[in-house]
Each structure stands twice: as C-alpha cells, then as structure tokens.
Amino acid sequence: MKYLMMVVVDGDPDTSDAPETGIDDWFAQVDGRGQWVMGERLRPPSTAKLVRVRNGERIVTDEPFAETKEWLAGFDILDCATLDDAVEAAAAHPMARGGRIELREFWPLEDDGS
C-alpha cells in the first residue's frame, strides 16, 4: 500500500532528551527496506499561491489564507505492506519530534471505496 507522508512544522517540538535520528539515517533505513518511493522538501509558505475558481473566475492569491504556525515542509511517498509499517517509518522521521507527520493511504481512482 502506498502512503503519503506529509511533514509538517508545527511549532511544538518534542522536548525529551531521547537521541534524535538524522534525516540521512532515516532515509537509509526506509530506503534500505524498500519503502521509500519519492519525496521532496517544499519551499516556505511565503512562496505559496492559492488558486480557486469562483463564479467561473480564477482567483490567485499569495501565501496560505490562514495565519498559522503550522506549514507543510515536505512530503514522502512510502510503499509499505501495512499501516503499522508506515507508522513505524513515520515515527522514526526526525520531524515526528520536531513537528508532526500526517499519513494518508492512497485511494486509487479505480477503488470503489469498499
């Protein structure tokens, strides 16, 4: 199963003394298990554009609409046998301690939802 792993900066980091995993170590572990498909970091929200269509008109605005300390910093696509495997990979990511990780399973268009 494929999972989108969204890496989010949230301004509320873990303050424990547990040793942190570096991103290179995390990548080596996940890639070594054949779970990593692709991923990229994203530019900061100040470079974002919001695109909407209302009443047939395209509206483009700078930056996200909401004022928030949370922002999407990057993403990875994982291919894991189970949700538990995806959760394990996400929990080992450095940003699980420095921010948060949101996992979402892919929902293929040909899947009728059952």
Side-chain angles (χ1 to χ4, degrees):
M1 291 178 275
K2 286 196 174 88
Y3 295 88
L4 174 63
M5 189 179 90
M6 293 175 276
V7 179
V8 179
V9 173
D10 72 3
D12 186 25
D14 176 37
T15 57
S16 73
D17 292 333
E20 292 188 32
T21 302
I23 192 67
D24 292 334
D25 292 334
W26 176 84
F27 177 76
Q29 292 169 11
V30 174
D31 192 45
R33 291 192 296 260
Q35 295 174 323
W36 191 79
V37 176
M38 71 161 299
E40 289 290 345
R41 61 187 181 163
L42 300 173
R43 294 201 180 271
S46 60
T47 66
K49 299 287 185 196
L50 286 178
V51 179
R52 300 178 292 158
V53 175
R54 299 294 183 270
N55 298 317
E57 185 177 335
R58 180 179 60 192
I59 303 165
V60 180
T61 55
D62 292 337
E63 302 187 38
F65 179 74
E67 289 289 326
T68 179
K69 293 181 181 177
E70 300 175 356
W71 54 280
L72 184 60
F75 71 94
D76 291 278
I77 296 175
L78 305 177
D79 191 357
C80 298
T82 66
L83 175 59
D84 287 342
D85 290 343
V87 168
E88 182 179 334
H93 192 284
M95 283 301 292
R97 294 188 59 194
R100 71 169 195 254
I101 306 292
E102 181 176 337
L103 281 175
R104 294 213 190 163
E105 184 179 346
F106 278 35
W107 187 7
L109 291 173
E110 64 275 3
D111 184 347
D112 66 3
S114 24

